[in-house]
Amino acid sequence: MSTTAAGVKTEKETGTLEVRDTRTGATYEMPILPRGTEGDVAVRGMDLRQIKVESGEFGTMSYDPAFMNTASCMSAITYIDGEAGILRYRGYPIEQIAEGSTFLETAWLLRNGELPTRQEYDKWENDIRYHTYVHENIRKFLEGFRYDAHPMSMLCSTVAAMSSFYPDAKDIHDPENRNIQIIRLLAKIPTLAAFAFRHIRGMPFIYPDNDLGYVENFLSMLNRMTEPRYEPRPSFVKALEVLFILHADHEQNASTTAVRAVGSTQVDPFSAIAAGVAALFGPLHGGANEQVLRMIQEIGHVKNVPALIDEVKDGKKRLMGFGHRVYKSYDPRARIVKQLADEVFKETGVDSDLEIALELERIALSDDYFVSRKLYPNVDFYTGLIYRSMGFPTEFFTVLFAVARTAGWLSQWEEMLMDKEQKIARPRQIYIGHGERKYASLL
Ligand code: SDX
């Protein structure tokens, strides 16, 4: 049995590819890498470089825009089977984790590979409670934003700014140092998110209450008014705990790829995570949950759904919250979120937006345009409706995604650092610009 860089045991070598270059008649051998745990198969891109016409050539590259078919790393953290709609964190099915775990236990599992013992968990939770405060200057930093600044812009800026408060964080090869920075980021990102929320609401910042659990404390910093202690609704705490678990990691998505690429330059983790926040902001990625609600509100009434569907089919619009690069069946997280939505709406009431969402889903799951393109609801489709029913403003939905995904980004960042095959990410290109030409000024 061979062991990959990520420490995953795999089958022995499984053969070679023989590639024949018809330009020269030469044949090349490329070893097929040992299969991953669930059968992933790849060859090394660098093995293409031997294919040349003239010996002095650079060699052949693989051209793969958007990395549609490129394995950028070996990872043992999260496994997704897009056809079967499977998602597992360190081998545990997401359905079981969502049902029985907590976000902090999940964050430990993602990072360490095994579930924590009671002693490990208590210390982990206590360490994180202890580090929830941020430097007071962060307040002044946030107060510089306009009242209508997007909270994702504020979160991205403040996470990046944190690297200036912890200059020792650049010592990324010291395990103890990495550990304290990971604890700081997990502990402080809810505080930064809550401060951004209070700023856009024009309300005074509420400081962490370290007697509360992770989710309760977050809800307290968001919502406490004059009461001495905020009492969150148990159903909202449970809903947010599950939503954080569902959003914690998702293998090599765009924002995780950003974190790994920026982290590969050996920058501090605050700067690498800020890159993840920036990538997540995009409407095709984490920003989709916000766009789903805006789309539903633009539809306005269930009778207008057919018109929207026609616009999507005409290619004028995308059905936000549908489709996925990997899932070509129902996103298993969307199934759990939908069940959660039913529970939350029992308490908050079903509104017309949910009726519109259910009609959109009904049509998309039956209409050949969507079925033929394997466009199923993804994790973002129902989350916006739950967040809205819990009182979060639409522009805050992606911030909630970022708080949760910080656990996955940090785990992936550390795995990248520990992977001896990884080095600074620096892709090549196929140059299609001008050949050499003589400069003559037109001035
Ligand atoms: C997340 O990667 C991850 O794991 C991400 C994520 C995570 O946890 O990190 O799961 C979180 O980002 C979920 C996705 C949220 N985004 C949206 O809901 C935005 C709407 N969906 C898309 O724009 C799209 O589906 C993507 C971006 C999610 C995936 O895009 P792909 O894989 O690049 O697919 P594509 O754009 O090449 O589309 C393939 C075809 C095209 O049709 P044709 O040109 O072949 O005719 O499907 C069509 C697209 O036009 N299509 C859609 C569509 N998504 C794809 N048509 C209408 N509505 C859509 N939503």
Side-chain angles (χ1 to χ4, degrees):
M1 288 282 266
S2 60
T3 302
T4 60
V8 176
K9 296 257 180 295
T10 63
E11 294 165 27
K12 61 180 178 44
E13 200 68 45
T14 51
T16 58
L17 280 190
E18 284 190 358
V19 178
R20 184 168 174 277
D21 184 343
T22 56
R23 298 170 298 175
T24 60
T27 303
Y28 303 88
E29 286 209 343
M30 300 169 68
I32 297 172
L33 290 173
R35 284 178 181 274
T37 308
E38 300 295 339
D40 298 321
V41 181
V43 292
R44 286 185 180 281
M46 280 301 286
D47 285 346
L48 285 168
R49 284 281 287 281
Q50 61 183 314
I51 301 172
K52 305 179 183 182
V53 175
E54 304 299 337
S55 58
E57 283 178 9
F58 177 77
T60 302
M61 299 182 283
S62 66
Y63 174 56
D64 187 15
F67 313 122
M68 299 281 283
N69 190 43
T70 292
S72 62
C73 62
M74 289 190 183
S75 177
I77 297 173
T78 293
Y79 172 69
I80 301 172
D81 178 328
E83 293 300 333
I86 289 172
L87 167 57
R88 298 186 197 128
Y89 288 163
R90 296 287 189 177
Y92 294 102
I94 191 64
E95 295 80 3
Q96 296 174 26
I97 295 285
E99 173 68 32
S101 186
T102 65
F103 175 66
L104 287 185
E105 184 186 54
T106 302
W108 173 281
L109 171 68
L110 289 171
R111 183 190 175 198
N112 297 294
E114 298 297 338
L115 291 165
T117 62
R118 166 51 62 184
Q119 190 183 7
E120 287 168 332
Y121 183 76
D122 290 346
K123 182 177 186 317
W124 173 245
E125 202 204 13
N126 192 49
D127 283 344
I128 286 170
R129 267 177 209 265
Y130 184 76
H131 286 277
T132 48
Y133 271 66
V134 294
H135 193 290
E136 195 62 5
N137 285 7
I138 287 285
R139 288 181 52 118
K140 299 186 186 73
F141 193 78
L142 281 165
E143 282 155 9
F145 285 93
R146 281 172 45 103
Y147 74 94
D148 58 354
H150 197 292
M152 277 296 278
S153 305
M154 298 168 79
L155 185 68
C156 188
S157 314
T158 46
V159 171
M162 295 292 276
S163 71
S164 68
F165 291 93
Y166 302 103
D168 59 328
K170 62 178 174 298
D171 190 3
I172 58 175
H173 298 297
D174 171 2
E176 284 309 306
N177 189 297
R178 266 200 321 271
N179 188 53
I180 184 61
Q181 310 309 343
I182 287 171
I183 288 168
R184 280 175 173 152
L185 265 157
L186 281 170
K188 298 176 194 302
I189 199 121
T191 308
L192 297 174
F195 280 12
F197 179 85
R198 300 288 286 200
H199 176 76
I200 60 177
R201 284 287 176 89
M203 292 158 69
F205 294 165
I206 298 295
Y207 284 80
D209 177 346
N210 290 346
D211 291 335
L212 296 176
Y214 193 84
V215 171
E216 291 89 344
N217 179 40
F218 182 48
L219 289 170
S220 168
M221 292 189 287
L222 290 166
N223 301 311
R224 188 158 70 82
M225 300 303 280
T226 57
E227 68 274 30
R229 165 151 293 171
Y230 180 69
E231 300 289 342
R233 283 193 199 185
S235 61
F236 282 15
V237 173
K238 174 64 181 163
L240 207 48
E241 191 92 54
V242 172
L243 287 164
F244 277 2
I245 289 170
L246 295 176
H247 285 83
D249 192 58
H250 212 239
E251 56 131 286
Q252 306 313 313
N253 56 83
S255 53
T256 296
T257 300
V259 169
R260 278 180 169 259
V262 169
S264 75
T265 68
Q266 302 202 354
V267 76
D268 68 272
F270 295 95
S271 303
I273 298 303
V277 177
L280 191 74
F281 195 2
L284 293 187
H285 189 12
N289 53 21
E290 174 181 339
Q291 299 307 323
V292 168
L293 207 71
R294 296 195 193 289
M295 172 184 73
I296 288 173
Q297 288 169 338
E298 198 179 300
I299 292 170
H301 189 283
V302 68
K303 69 179 186 324
N304 301 329
V305 166
L308 183 278
I309 293 291
D310 289 343
E311 284 186 284
V312 171
K313 287 181 173 179
D314 292 343
K316 292 185 188 127
K317 288 189 176 173
R318 288 215 157 186
L319 196 53
M320 301 313 277
F322 280 76
H324 199 277
R325 173 63 56 77
V326 176
Y327 289 125
K328 298 309 172 190
S329 61
Y330 214 99
D331 183 332
R333 302 167 296 175
R335 204 185 303 285
I336 299 169
V337 174
K338 190 176 173 187
Q339 290 162 3
L340 211 52
D342 292 341
E343 289 162 33
V344 170
F345 295 135
K346 279 190 193 113
E347 198 166 311
T348 61
V350 175
D351 59 12
S352 61
D353 287 345
L354 179 64
E355 284 176 278
I356 293 170
L358 291 169
E359 178 62 5
L360 279 172
E361 184 187 41
R362 185 191 67 76
I363 293 176
L365 294 181
S366 56
D367 186 301
D368 185 57
Y369 176 90
F370 301 98
V371 174
S372 63
R373 289 171 175 78
K374 299 188 175 182
L375 299 178
Y376 292 88
N378 58 49
V379 68
D380 289 311
F381 186 60
Y382 282 107
T383 42
L385 290 168
I386 296 184
Y387 289 148
R388 210 274 315 276
S389 72
M390 292 169 71
F392 291 109
T394 305
E395 63 274 12
F396 200 68
F397 294 171
T398 311
V399 171
L400 296 166
F401 194 151
V403 169
R405 188 52 59 89
T406 299
W409 287 332
L410 287 166
S411 305
Q412 298 274 352
W413 168 75
E414 193 167 44
E415 184 181 65
M416 177 274 300
L417 284 181
M418 298 298 101
D419 185 342
K420 294 184 177 31
E421 285 203 287
Q422 292 293 339
K423 48 174 59 177
I424 187 167
R426 203 274 183 225
R428 310 304 297 249
Q429 63 172 17
I430 294 175
Y431 178 68
I432 54 170
H434 285 285
E436 183 176 358
R437 52 181 173 168
K438 192 164 172 44
Y439 171 76
S441 171
L442 301 178
L443 300 176

